[in-house]
Amino acid sequence: STGKVLRIFGVRSVLVKTSAFSPTWESVLTTVWGRTGEGSMKMLDASTGQVLMTFTGSPASMSSAALSPMGDYVLGASDDRTALMWNAASGELVTRFRGHLDTVNSAEFSPHGVLVVTASMDMTAKMWGALSGKLVLDFVGHAGGVTSAVFSPGRAERVLTAS
């Protein structure tokens, strides 16, 4: 409430595009774009800034960071036309969501963590089964690239997109 800076996280990279708090507020997830162009995400201790886990697997920049409602999965959108989901505890890549034809700008979990919605520059948003990675629904008809897509709080049957 004071506007005072509490912590500056020293993630060494070319660019940190986005960050998100864990559901418990104990850690922070950041997207990191490396000097060689690869993308990764890092989970940091919110109090100390110490790196707790690094999530790798994207050959391109990551453009969004999200944690599942229980904090057990990590989700990122990638410039390589995919979204990726990792186990937050082990760092294991669990699912790669494939089907977009252009950069994926955002990826978000549904309120209960069962579904994922992605937004892409290919002028679509897509809904997926979180663990299966299977396409559930295609949102088409946008006049331009879709910059974000989110579920309505508490109601996974409603999705809001921006393009």
Side-chain angles (χ1 to χ4, degrees):
S1 64
T2 66
K4 179 183 172 191
V5 174
L6 298 177
R7 165 131 347 263
I8 296 174
F9 295 105
V11 177
R12 298 182 193 279
S13 69
V14 172
L15 179 65
V16 174
K17 284 190 174 180
T18 188
S19 300
F21 273 108
S22 68
T24 62
W25 297 80
E26 295 173 354
S27 55
V28 174
L29 180 66
T30 63
T31 58
V32 180
W33 188 36
R35 289 178 182 11
T36 59
E38 79 285 350
S40 67
M41 298 174 65
K42 293 188 182 295
M43 185 75 74
L44 309 171
D45 183 289
S47 296
T48 66
Q50 177 183 357
V51 176
L52 302 173
M53 179 79 67
T54 300
F55 305 94
T56 60
S58 175
S61 174
M62 303 294 289
S63 53
S64 79
L67 285 111
S68 63
M70 298 300 289
D72 46 353
Y73 293 100
V74 169
L75 181 65
S78 176
D79 289 354
D80 74 350
R81 304 180 309 211
T82 69
L84 299 93
M85 185 175 79
W86 293 267
N87 180 298
S90 69
E92 176 188 0
L93 181 62
V94 176
T95 308
R96 186 181 299 264
F97 303 93
R98 298 174 199 252
H100 282 292
L101 303 175
D102 205 339
T103 296
V104 178
N105 293 316
S106 74
E108 296 288 336
F109 285 100
S110 65
H112 301 293
V114 176
L115 300 169
V116 165
V117 65
T118 55
S120 172
M121 291 307 293
D122 67 5
M123 299 190 296
T124 70
K126 296 180 185 296
M127 185 185 299
W128 313 84
L131 290 176
S132 71
K134 294 195 185 299
L135 183 64
V136 174
L137 191 60
D138 239 333
F139 299 95
V140 297
H142 295 87
V146 184
T147 55
S148 69
V150 295
F151 286 97
S152 170
R155 299 189 68 171
E157 69 269 11
R158 294 192 179 172
V159 171
L160 177 66
T161 62
S163 68

